Amino acid sequence: MSGDRDMPKVIFIESTDVQYSVEAPVGRSLMQVAVDNMVPGIDGECGGACSCATCHVYVEPDWQARLPARSSDETFMLEGAVEVDGRSRLSCQLKMHEEWDGLVLRIPAVQG
Ligand code: FES
């Protein structure tokens, strides 16, 4: 492991403010990272095919501009999700980037 940097982490926060700081391998979808770590409220029912919206999260304001823009598929799916706002993303559509260490994602209350 010499020379390796620590694996980046992302932080999921439930609506009750319970926090989960979990390791996120670069390239893995953030939905899969949540499922791997049994973070409640992120079900990923469609397996990351952008067709269920059970991976809906809110991106903290400081991070929103640092993530890639929503695709048209993601925008379309979010239109059918509940409690969607400007912070909303589908976590299966976000593939972990090495510069996202410390990324904060909140889980909508309706999923928690
Ligand atoms: Fe189904 Fe993200 S896991 S839309």
Side-chain angles (χ1 to χ4, degrees), residues 29 31-32 42-56 77 90-93:
S29 87
M31 174 278 284
Q32 199 63 58
I42 307 287
D43 291 342
E45 278 176 16
C46 75
C50 199
S51 60
C52 73
T54 62
C55 64
H56 178 201
M77 271 315 297
L90 295 178
S91 56
C92 71
Q93 300 302 298

Side-chain angles (χ1 to χ4, degrees), residues 12 14 18 20 34 37-43 107 111-112:
F12 292 91
E14 287 190 276
V18 177
Y20 302 83
N37 289 280
M38 291 180 285
V39 174
I42 307 287
D43 291 342
I107 302 164
Q111 287 162 228

Side-chain angles (χ1 to χ4, degrees), residues 56-110:
H56 178 201
V57 293
Y58 299 127
V59 177
E60 285 287 270
D62 289 353
W63 282 95
Q64 286 168 16
R66 299 168 66 175
L67 304 185
R70 292 176 186 161
S71 68
S72 54
D73 282 353
E74 184 179 352
T75 299
F76 179 77
M77 271 315 297
L78 280 169
E79 283 172 2
V82 290
E83 295 184 6
V84 171
D85 64 26
R87 305 167 297 161
S88 294
R89 297 299 302 257
L90 295 178
S91 56
C92 71
Q93 300 302 298
L94 296 169
K95 301 283 190 287
M96 185 63 187
H97 191 284
E98 59 196 6
E99 292 179 1
W100 295 358
D101 186 35
L103 172 63
V104 179
L105 302 170
R106 288 184 178 270
I107 302 164
V110 69

